[in-house]
Amino acid sequence: MRASTVACLTLLAGCAAPAPVVTPRVSGGNPADGIVTLASTRTLFDPVEPDWRAALATADNQCRADGRAPPARFAGEQTSCELYDRGGRCLRATRTRFYSCGE
Protein backbone atom coordinates (compact mmCIF):
# COMPACT_ATOMS: atom_id res chain seq x y z
CA MET A 1 0.00 0.00 0.00
CA ARG A 2 2.82 2.37 0.80
CA ALA A 3 4.46 1.92 -2.63
CA SER A 4 1.22 2.83 -4.39
CA THR A 5 0.90 5.99 -2.28
CA VAL A 6 4.43 7.04 -3.24
CA ALA A 7 3.66 6.34 -6.90
CA CYS A 8 0.50 8.45 -6.78
CA LEU A 9 2.29 11.34 -5.10
CA THR A 10 5.07 11.19 -7.67
CA LEU A 11 2.53 11.37 -10.50
CA LEU A 12 0.78 14.31 -8.88
CA ALA A 13 4.08 16.15 -8.42
CA GLY A 14 4.75 15.71 -12.13
CA CYS A 15 1.40 17.28 -12.96
CA ALA A 16 2.20 20.32 -10.83
CA ALA A 17 5.49 21.00 -12.62
CA PRO A 18 5.70 24.29 -14.52
CA ALA A 19 5.35 24.26 -18.29
CA PRO A 20 8.56 23.88 -20.30
CA VAL A 21 10.18 27.10 -21.46
CA VAL A 22 11.15 27.84 -25.07
CA THR A 23 12.98 30.75 -26.65
CA PRO A 24 10.74 32.71 -29.03
CA ARG A 25 11.97 32.98 -32.61
CA VAL A 26 12.30 36.02 -34.85
CA SER A 27 9.12 36.05 -36.91
CA GLY A 28 9.32 39.33 -38.75
CA GLY A 29 9.53 43.00 -38.11
CA ASN A 30 10.52 46.08 -40.04
CA PRO A 31 14.24 46.92 -40.07
CA ALA A 32 13.57 50.36 -41.59
CA ASP A 33 11.37 51.29 -38.62
CA GLY A 34 13.50 49.44 -36.04
CA ILE A 35 10.80 46.90 -35.16
CA VAL A 36 11.68 43.30 -34.24
CA THR A 37 8.94 40.69 -33.92
CA LEU A 38 9.41 37.48 -31.90
CA ALA A 39 6.88 34.66 -31.61
CA SER A 40 6.28 31.45 -29.68
CA THR A 41 3.70 28.79 -30.50
CA ARG A 42 1.98 26.57 -27.96
CA THR A 43 -0.56 23.81 -28.38
CA LEU A 44 -3.23 22.43 -26.10
CA PHE A 45 -1.12 19.31 -25.57
CA ASP A 46 2.27 21.08 -25.44
CA PRO A 47 1.69 24.15 -23.22
CA VAL A 48 5.14 25.76 -23.39
CA GLU A 49 5.90 29.17 -21.92
CA PRO A 50 8.05 31.69 -23.80
CA ASP A 51 11.32 32.81 -22.22
CA TRP A 52 10.91 36.56 -22.68
CA ARG A 53 14.34 37.30 -21.16
CA ALA A 54 15.99 35.26 -23.89
CA ALA A 55 13.67 36.93 -26.40
CA LEU A 56 14.93 40.36 -25.35
CA ALA A 57 18.53 39.22 -25.94
CA THR A 58 17.48 37.91 -29.37
CA ALA A 59 15.78 41.24 -30.15
CA ASP A 60 18.97 43.11 -29.14
CA ASN A 61 21.00 40.91 -31.51
CA GLN A 62 18.49 41.45 -34.31
CA CYS A 63 18.63 45.23 -33.76
CA ARG A 64 22.41 45.08 -34.19
CA ALA A 65 22.07 42.90 -37.31
CA ASP A 66 19.64 45.44 -38.78
CA GLY A 67 22.14 48.26 -38.14
CA ARG A 68 20.13 49.66 -35.23
CA ALA A 69 21.28 50.36 -31.72
CA PRO A 70 20.12 48.18 -28.84
CA PRO A 71 18.63 47.96 -26.35
CA ALA A 72 15.32 46.80 -27.70
CA ARG A 73 12.30 48.00 -25.75
CA PHE A 74 9.07 46.03 -25.32
CA ALA A 75 6.43 47.61 -27.56
CA GLY A 76 3.41 45.33 -27.18
CA GLU A 77 2.12 41.78 -27.38
CA GLN A 78 -0.48 39.88 -29.38
CA THR A 79 -1.95 36.41 -28.88
CA SER A 80 -3.84 34.70 -31.69
CA CYS A 81 -5.44 31.29 -31.98
CA GLU A 82 -4.60 29.52 -35.22
CA LEU A 83 -6.56 26.30 -34.80
CA TYR A 84 -9.79 25.52 -32.93
CA ASP A 85 -11.40 22.15 -32.17
CA ARG A 86 -15.11 21.46 -32.67
CA GLY A 87 -15.83 22.52 -29.09
CA GLY A 88 -14.25 25.94 -29.64
CA ARG A 89 -11.06 25.26 -27.64
CA CYS A 90 -7.86 26.72 -28.99
CA LEU A 91 -5.57 23.89 -30.08
CA ARG A 92 -2.67 26.05 -31.31
CA ALA A 93 -1.93 29.65 -30.36
CA THR A 94 0.92 32.03 -31.14
CA ARG A 95 2.11 34.73 -28.75
CA THR A 96 3.95 37.53 -30.50
CA ARG A 97 5.92 40.34 -28.91
CA PHE A 98 7.07 43.46 -30.66
CA TYR A 99 10.30 45.25 -29.76
CA SER A 100 11.47 48.68 -30.79
CA CYS A 101 15.21 49.14 -31.35
CA GLY A 102 17.13 52.05 -29.87
CA GLU A 103 18.14 55.02 -31.99
Side-chain angles (χ1 to χ4, degrees), residues 26-99:
V26 175
S27 63
N30 186 338
D33 292 333
I35 302 294
V36 177
T37 305
L38 294 151
S40 175
T41 301
R42 69 182 291 163
T43 66
L44 182 63
F45 304 108
D46 186 19
V48 297
E49 284 298 318
D51 181 353
W52 295 120
R53 286 185 190 171
L56 182 58
T58 302
D60 281 345
N61 291 336
Q62 188 64 43
C63 287
R64 284 187 189 94
D66 291 343
R68 295 279 184 157
R73 295 176 312 280
F74 174 66
E77 181 174 309
Q78 175 183 2
T79 301
S80 61
C81 185
E82 299 169 359
L83 181 65
Y84 292 95
D85 69 2
R86 290 182 182 172
R89 291 183 304 175
C90 184
L91 297 177
R92 183 176 62 231
T94 299
R95 286 179 66 185
T96 305
R97 277 199 175 177
F98 305 93
Y99 294 88

Side-chain angles (χ1 to χ4, degrees), residues 4-14:
S4 64
T5 303
V6 170
C8 286
L9 290 175
T10 303
L11 287 173
L12 286 174

